[in-house]
Amino acid sequence: MITYTQQDYLNTLTKAGLVINSNLYGHDSDAIQGLTYNSKEATAGTLFVCKGAAFHPQYLADAVFSGATLYVSEQKYELDTKVPYILVSDIRKAMPYLGKLFFNDPSKELNLIGVGGTKGKSTTAYYVKAIVDDYLASIGKKESAVISSIDVYDGVTKVESHITTPENIELLQHFRNAVDSDIDFLEMEVSSQALKYNRVDQITFDAAIFLNISEDHISPIEHPDFEDYFSSKLKMFAQTKHALINTNSDYFERVAESAKDAENVITFGTKPGSDILGYDIKKIDHEIHFRVSCDRFDEDFALTMPGLFNVENALAAIAAAYVFNIPVKFM
């Protein structure tokens, strides 16, 4: 990767309109070699991010002791030595700019598929992955990466997941690992919290799937009300090339209006007029059989997972395959 200097990071945040004060103490040309908000991960040349309601100044002191040479924060901290700093108005908005620069904007080198909605994100992400992986295997390429609430695979690490959408720095590290591993596709779940708290800012999805919306995650900790939750979900459309939206979703008209922020909109569902239309749905033994019609094909499909909602999830995956021109035989 290309490395950037302290001045480069200051310039980036200044251009974004986030800097309120700074002092590099003459270290403008020093290269940044690491980026973290975890003091235990700080090494020589690290840019340390002071974030979180539970942040304690000792974390910064520990990071500096371990070699951190620049910190970005919403406030200045008194340290034993003069440590270059950049003060910003909003640390969460700043982090995506830092990550994008440090990791050399890896999302632009991936076919990135985001999956949003109240229910079915994990199922749909793995439906998409199954299709994409079969296609990639047929052309001699590596399986796709995935970031979900179940697990994370990026070509370097494969671990059980503990959060739906990681913080921006971890997220971009996974993207960079995938790119460096010669992986072409990455599927990921995109939570309302990630959208609300800027974890996916500065990222452009090649395709963003919106499955459905219903009242969930309403609490003082997550979203104070349904409007906050819904509007957070809809933010995904402003950062995608192709918006894939479910015609069966509640509040479809509002979803469709927000989807106009994307470069292109493709609908899927069982309602007449859907671009990717599921119909003739029937249960045969333990399987659900249905047909899918679009301007490229009209084919039979079958699912071993029960439930009409899984037909909608499958249609979302088929819509994603449609966007990437994956042949129907892999769907």
Side-chain angles (χ1 to χ4, degrees):
M1 291 195 306
I2 299 171
T3 57
Y4 293 91
T5 66
Q6 292 193 12
Q7 186 65 51
D8 291 327
Y9 285 89
L10 176 56
N11 292 345
T12 295
L13 294 176
T14 300
K15 186 177 180 180
L18 293 168
V19 175
I20 55 176
N21 196 2
S22 67
N23 195 332
L24 301 184
Y25 296 115
H27 292 275
D28 312 46
S29 61
D30 288 6
I32 293 299
Q33 305 291 346
L35 175 65
T36 187
Y37 56 81
N38 184 345
S39 59
K40 296 178 181 178
E41 296 177 354
T43 56
T46 291
L47 187 164
F48 186 72
V49 179
C50 306
K51 80 158 191 80
F55 180 80
H56 192 281
Q58 186 60 46
Y59 301 154
L60 173 58
D62 292 344
V64 170
F65 180 80
S66 297
T69 53
L70 171 66
Y71 72 91
V72 177
S73 173
E74 292 181 359
Q75 68 179 79
K76 188 175 183 298
Y77 293 97
E78 296 302 321
L79 297 163
D80 294 336
T81 58
K82 287 185 177 179
V83 180
Y85 62 86
I86 303 172
L87 304 187
V88 296
S89 55
D90 190 320
I91 196 66
R92 285 202 164 274
K93 289 182 179 178
M95 285 171 64
Y97 287 98
L98 299 173
K100 183 177 181 179
L101 186 61
F102 181 79
F103 292 107
N104 296 183
D105 195 9
S107 64
K108 69 181 181 182
E109 300 179 63
L110 292 165
N111 292 303
L112 188 59
I113 304 167
V115 184
T118 302
K119 299 177 181 178
K121 292 190 296 296
S122 297
T123 299
T124 302
Y126 284 94
Y127 279 173
V128 175
K129 180 171 171 56
I131 293 170
V132 169
D133 287 355
D134 282 351
Y135 168 66
L136 292 174
S138 75
I139 57 176
K141 293 195 172 185
K142 294 183 178 180
E143 70 170 289
S144 59
V146 65
I147 300 172
S148 78
S149 55
I150 297 173
D151 65 3
V152 173
Y153 170 70
D154 63 14
V156 175
T157 59
K158 184 174 178 62
V159 296
E160 183 179 336
S161 179
H162 299 289
I163 189 171
T164 303
T165 311
E167 288 285 3
N168 181 267
I169 292 173
E170 286 96 340
L171 189 60
L172 292 189
Q173 177 69 74
H174 291 311
F175 288 2
R176 173 47 57 190
N177 286 348
V179 170
D180 290 348
S181 299
D182 295 321
I183 289 174
D184 292 339
F185 280 79
L186 187 149
E187 306 88 18
M188 64 174 288
E189 295 182 45
V190 184
S191 70
S192 58
Q193 292 285 290
L195 289 158
K196 180 177 179 177
Y197 292 113
N198 311 103
R199 294 179 198 164
V200 293
D201 282 10
Q202 301 301 306
I203 292 169
T204 298
F205 296 98
D206 293 281
I209 297 169
F210 189 96
L211 294 168
N212 47 56
I213 188 74
S214 60
E215 293 205 18
D216 202 354
H217 304 287
I218 311 300
S219 73
I221 297 174
E222 295 183 273
H223 299 279
D225 51 42
F226 179 72
E227 176 55 33
D228 184 75
Y229 176 58
F230 195 5
S231 60
S232 295
K233 288 282 190 189
L234 296 175
K235 287 181 179 180
M236 186 167 60
F237 294 132
Q239 54 193 100
T240 189
K241 296 176 183 176
H242 300 276
L244 314 182
I245 60 176
N246 185 1
T247 55
N248 296 94
S249 174
D250 290 343
Y251 306 99
F252 174 74
E253 290 76 13
R254 182 174 174 187
V255 174
E257 184 62 30
S258 292
K260 292 178 182 178
D261 289 338
E263 295 178 19
N264 180 45
V265 179
I266 295 173
T267 60
F268 64 89
T270 60
K271 289 190 174 181
S274 301
D275 297 320
I276 309 295
L277 175 66
Y279 70 101
D280 195 19
I281 303 167
K282 53 196 173 186
K283 188 173 182 297
I284 300 177
D285 295 327
H286 298 292
E287 296 183 337
I288 296 179
H289 289 247
F290 58 101
R291 290 189 67 84
V292 178
S293 173
C294 65
D295 61 1
R296 296 181 195 166
F297 59 81
D298 192 332
E299 297 282 349
D300 285 312
F301 289 83
L303 285 175
T304 57
M305 297 177 69
L308 180 60
F309 57 90
N310 275 321
V311 173
E312 294 176 14
N313 295 339
L315 291 170
I318 291 168
Y322 176 96
V323 164
F324 293 101
N325 295 307
I326 295 176
V328 67
K329 66 180 180 179
F330 297 108
M331 299 179 192

